[in-house]
Amino acid sequence: MAKPHDLRRYPGFLAITILCLVILYAPLMVVAVYSFNASASITIWEGFSLRWYADVFTGPESAKYRDAAWNSFIIAITAATSASIIATLAATAVLRSGKFRLRTVSIGLISLPLMVPEIVTAVATLIFFNALAFERGILTILLAHIAFCIPFAYMPISARMQGIEASYEQAAMDLYATKRMAFTRILMPLMMPGIVSGFILAFIISLDDFIITNFVKGAGVETLPTAIFGAVKQGIKPNIMAISTLLLLVSIVMVALSWLIGRKDQKT
Amino acid sequence: MPQDREIAIDVRDAVKRYGTFAALKRISLTIRDNEFFTLLGPSGCGKTTLLRMIAGFEDVTEGAIYLYGEALDTLPPYKRPVNTVFQNYALFPHMNVLENVGFGLEMLGKSKAEARARAGEALEMVQLSQFASRKPSQLSGGQQQRVALARALAPRPRVLLLDEPLSALDLKLRKSMQVELKHLQRETGITFIFVTHDQEEALTMSDRIAVMSEGELQQLGEAREIYERPRNVFVADFIGDTNLMEVTVDKVSGGRAQCHLGGGHSLTCDAVDGVEAGARVHMSLRPERLFLSAQPAEPGSLPGTVRETIYIGTDIATIVDLEDGPQFTVRSSNSTRGNARVFEPGQNVAVNMETGAARLLAD
């Protein structure tokens, strides 16, 4: 029992917390549970089975999903890598090059895309490619993903860099390290946890993007989210739930990885 | 101290401006080879700016700085044979102690083996050999401080810059580090430039001290000179405790000035240049150079009443109100041998001073 005047306890908060968690996680739980349903129905439980997972990997649509998953993976890896590199350089320029004109504006411009409605970005990107007469295909998806991943990668990277005092680089240069050496030997290792977080965030964002991808993808080129959307239009089959559960698993693994790296960094 | 020793650092008419704000207003000074030199002043006086200009982290707006005769100009920090002990130590958190200390040597292009060996020697010098494989975060503040010192000394710089390195340590540790620093300076023969706002620290460690205030050099000299012959009001007030008061000069002759203060009490002071009869100037009287005796006052002493007695431990301070005049603090050693008689509040006493205790000051 809580003591009558325990300041750390607020009556009624437990119920609200549970309600929030249920709303957040119940749908995900339903999808995950029904992906193991033996029945072809998506609402009636008929017993445990892995048939829909088998269907995803070996069924009639497996080739389609495999290609889509492969596209998604390649795009996510490439986009996250490019975005992390660009974001690292941007953070170095903005936070480590002293004051320059339009510095504040630059910081704003980098994070502004986070607040632009995605549909607007999608239309703008499409118009941009059309104006250049750029043929739509996997390359347009990749370029679009690199662009919208930059602000996501930038956030953890710049947050990390802000926490690194300038005196480390000064100490390095005082100890005969050139600017380049100070960057590679001191600044980069200290920033690494931020860069890894930025990479993972960008990877997940790219992996599950639908709106922009759907606008800029060429005919016949699918990523996993567009393939799933295409399949759902013809009715939801339990194999969609299996794919969704697998995607969820990838996200959870990535987030856990990011958390573990962050925790290890705090200890040293 | 030989005056003809080689000059390590020569600062000539150095000015530092940030926009319209002048952090340093045309400073010139020379620091000798193998000297423990201290830049002393309150925060914002420009002492750290000057240190960072020598290290190469700030450029010189006007004027020049020479290191052993060579103009530093636009030489980047990594090309200056100068190392810094930072106020927050700035130890690299992802490297262990030995890697930290060996970093400078490695950057100088020494082989891994040589860097390790010499880093080990430097660690031995600060008695931290057993912590070589620890990370900086696993060390106490005092140990981190010594690692920072070893790291800066390992490449054998010609000049070592220390930016308030002891300010984060507690009093006991600070005192022992003061002795250790002085010892290290003698042992290595490296020129030390030490920045501090702590006047006691400066007096304890330095061969010479430059007192700075508001971007200007106030006085430069040995500890004794600065304490006993302060040039102006700022130096007298900033270094140690003093009785600072305004007096009127009655007569000047032979380097001595006959003066009087409020209440008509008259006394004889060491004069400063340019003081004439009739001038109102400041005078400094160190409390420990005064002593009390019972009334009636002898000629030359000042009659007054004890207001308060303060027990300090090593000393006893007595605050005395002069008759119709200002207040004086008198300090006497708390020793059983001494003639320090403790007077009670309300008692009538006479304030006596040693010859030459009273000094007139320039403003």
Side-chain angles (χ1 to χ4, degrees):
Chain A
M1 275 302 284
K3 289 180 214 119
H5 293 296
D6 192 341
L7 288 175
R8 285 163 300 182
R9 279 183 175 270
Y10 295 91
F13 267 45
L14 185 64
I16 295 171
T17 308
I18 290 172
L19 184 71
C20 287
L21 289 175
V22 166
I23 292 172
L24 278 171
Y25 287 101
L28 291 176
M29 294 301 289
V30 169
V31 168
V33 168
Y34 274 86
S35 70
F36 295 103
N37 195 355
S39 149
S41 159
I42 56 164
T43 48
I44 303 153
W45 180 257
E46 279 184 10
F48 181 84
S49 153
L50 288 175
R51 70 179 267 216
W52 299 115
Y53 286 90
D55 184 72
V56 167
F57 288 103
T58 58
E61 290 172 318
S62 64
K64 184 179 95 184
Y65 288 126
R66 208 166 27 239
D67 286 350
W70 182 244
N71 282 344
S72 274
F73 180 73
I74 292 294
I75 289 167
I77 286 282
T78 318
T81 307
S82 313
S84 303
I85 292 170
I86 294 169
T88 303
L89 298 177
T92 309
V94 168
L95 299 171
R96 281 300 196 266
S97 311
K99 290 199 176 89
F100 56 90
R101 281 181 66 201
L102 303 180
R103 181 169 174 268
T104 327
V105 178
S106 307
I107 296 172
L109 282 177
I110 295 171
S111 10
L112 190 65
L114 295 175
M115 281 159 268
V116 174
E118 204 183 340
I119 188 75
V120 177
T121 310
V123 170
T125 313
L126 177 65
I127 292 170
F128 174 74
F129 285 135
N130 277 347
L132 290 181
F134 213 112
E135 197 183 328
R136 280 183 284 154
I138 198 155
L139 192 60
T140 47
I141 303 177
L142 184 59
L143 290 174
H145 278 225
I146 292 173
F148 76 71
C149 280
I150 290 171
F152 289 99
Y154 179 79
M155 284 190 303
I157 291 172
S158 75
R160 174 75 193 175
M161 197 179 243
Q162 268 164 346
I164 302 172
E165 285 171 56
S167 60
Y168 291 126
E169 290 143 274
Q170 283 177 0
M173 286 204 268
D174 188 64
L175 292 162
Y176 314 107
T178 56
K179 261 203 146 134
R180 189 197 189 85
M181 282 309 254
F183 182 78
T184 53
R185 292 290 304 275
I186 306 300
L187 196 56
M188 275 285 277
L190 292 178
M191 277 174 67
M192 213 23 107
I195 297 176
V196 170
S197 300
F199 175 87
I200 289 174
L201 189 59
F203 181 87
I204 292 174
I205 295 287
S206 164
L207 193 67
D208 84 356
D209 179 74
F210 171 73
I211 301 177
I212 294 174
T213 312
N214 202 38
F215 271 70
V216 300
K217 77 184 177 71
V221 181
E222 301 287 351
T223 64
L224 210 45
T226 61
I228 292 172
F229 182 74
V232 166
K233 275 196 288 193
Q234 289 136 40
I236 303 173
K237 269 172 59 187
N239 63 348
I240 297 297
M241 294 192 178
I243 293 176
S244 302
T245 307
L246 288 171
L247 257 179
L248 187 63
L249 201 68
V250 171
S251 290
I252 289 170
V253 167
M254 294 299 255
V255 169
L257 218 61
S258 161
W259 182 77
L260 281 174
I261 288 165
R263 203 180 58 146
K264 176 174 158 273
D265 168 64
Q266 271 179 356
K267 265 194 277 182
T268 53
Chain B
M1 183 169 302
Q3 299 294 309
D4 55 350
R5 235 174 17 202
E6 205 184 345
I7 287 168
I9 299 272
D10 187 359
V11 181
R12 287 188 209 160
D13 297 320
V15 175
K16 178 69 193 177
R17 261 185 242 112
Y18 298 102
T20 54
F21 171 72
L24 278 187
K25 299 167 190 160
R26 206 161 296 283
I27 282 203
S28 293
L29 54 84
T30 56
I31 297 165
R32 297 175 197 140
D33 184 43
N34 192 11
E35 182 171 43
F36 199 121
F37 190 91
T38 298
L39 295 168
L40 172 67
S43 55
C45 73
K47 56 192 191 301
T48 298
T49 305
L50 181 55
L51 196 80
R52 291 174 62 82
M53 281 157 73
I54 297 170
F57 301 134
E58 306 278 356
D59 53 2
V60 184
T61 313
E62 272 174 48
I65 298 175
Y66 296 84
L67 179 84
Y68 290 95
E70 202 185 323
L72 288 174
D73 285 333
T74 52
L75 215 58
Y78 53 85
K79 286 193 177 153
R80 301 184 182 202
V82 164
N83 289 141
T84 308
V85 178
F86 290 82
Q87 186 169 12
N88 60 359
Y89 317 142
L91 298 176
F92 308 131
H94 57 300
M95 298 184 185
N96 69 24
V97 167
L98 194 69
E99 289 164 342
N100 260 287
V101 177
F103 185 82
L105 294 160
E106 206 186 311
M107 289 298 120
L108 280 173
K110 308 285 176 209
S111 70
K112 265 234 150 75
E114 192 188 344
R116 284 180 71 90
R118 279 177 59 183
E121 284 169 30
L123 273 182
E124 220 165 282
M125 209 156 57
V126 296
Q127 293 124 41
L128 278 180
S129 305
Q130 69 272 34
F131 295 114
S133 55
R134 295 249 190 118
K135 285 280 174 71
S137 57
Q138 294 168 303
L139 302 178
S140 72
Q143 289 164 340
Q144 289 182 19
Q145 211 280 322
R146 297 225 292 270
V147 174
L149 197 59
R151 186 177 70 174
L153 282 172
R156 296 243 145 212
R158 300 204 70 179
V159 175
L160 185 76
L161 308 176
L162 302 107
D163 185 7
E164 308 218 21
L166 308 182
S167 57
L169 306 179
D170 62 53
L171 186 65
K172 265 255 150 59
L173 200 54
R174 198 155 70 220
K175 295 258 185 216
S176 79
M177 275 310 293
Q178 286 172 6
V179 176
E180 200 171 323
L181 273 179
K182 181 99 184 168
H183 176 75
L184 272 175
Q185 196 269 323
R186 293 274 171 275
E187 200 178 12
T188 57
I190 293 171
T191 308
F192 277 34
I193 306 178
F194 188 90
V195 161
T196 183
H197 61 265
D198 183 335
Q199 45 95 14
E200 202 181 314
E201 195 164 277
L203 293 176
T204 312
M205 303 201 300
S206 319
D207 291 325
R208 289 194 308 152
I209 301 169
V211 185
M212 292 175 67
S213 160
E214 291 179 351
E216 286 174 330
L217 183 63
Q218 301 296 328
Q219 189 169 1
L220 197 160
E222 290 170 30
R224 177 177 282 268
E225 193 179 332
I226 282 185
Y227 184 78
E228 293 183 8
R229 293 194 296 282
R231 233 187 54 193
N232 58 26
V233 173
F234 177 82
V235 177
D237 195 29
F238 190 73
I239 314 282
D241 295 326
T242 195
N243 293 294
L244 199 62
M245 52 195 65
E246 262 192 303
V247 297
T248 308
V249 180
D250 298 321
K251 201 176 82 185
V252 183
S253 67
R256 308 279 290 161
Q258 193 72 37
C259 311
H260 71 268
L261 34 91
H265 305 283
S266 68
L267 42 80
T268 312
C269 310
D270 283 353
V272 281
D273 290 341
V275 168
E276 292 172 0
R280 291 222 13 109
V281 288
H282 280 93
M283 178 203 66
S284 161
L285 261 172
R286 296 288 182 196
E288 73 277 8
R289 302 198 61 184
L290 302 174
F291 57 94
L292 297 175
S293 59
Q295 279 198 7
E298 291 171 47
S301 67
L302 312 167
T305 315
V306 173
R307 169 179 282 268
E308 211 175 332
T309 310
I310 301 161
Y311 179 80
I312 301 172
T314 53
D315 290 338
I316 289 168
T318 312
I319 298 170
V320 178
D321 289 325
L322 291 197
E323 279 169 23
D324 308 315
Q327 211 169 53
F328 271 84
T329 304
V330 178
R331 230 169 141 140
S332 55
S333 165
N334 181 17
S335 96
T336 47
R337 286 180 292 117
N339 44 8
R341 197 177 136 197
V342 179
F343 291 91
E344 299 300 322
Q347 249 182 306
N348 289 330
V349 290
V351 178
N352 309 276
M353 60 192 76
E354 299 167 14
T355 340
R359 283 190 57 83
L360 291 187
L361 304 165
D363 279 324

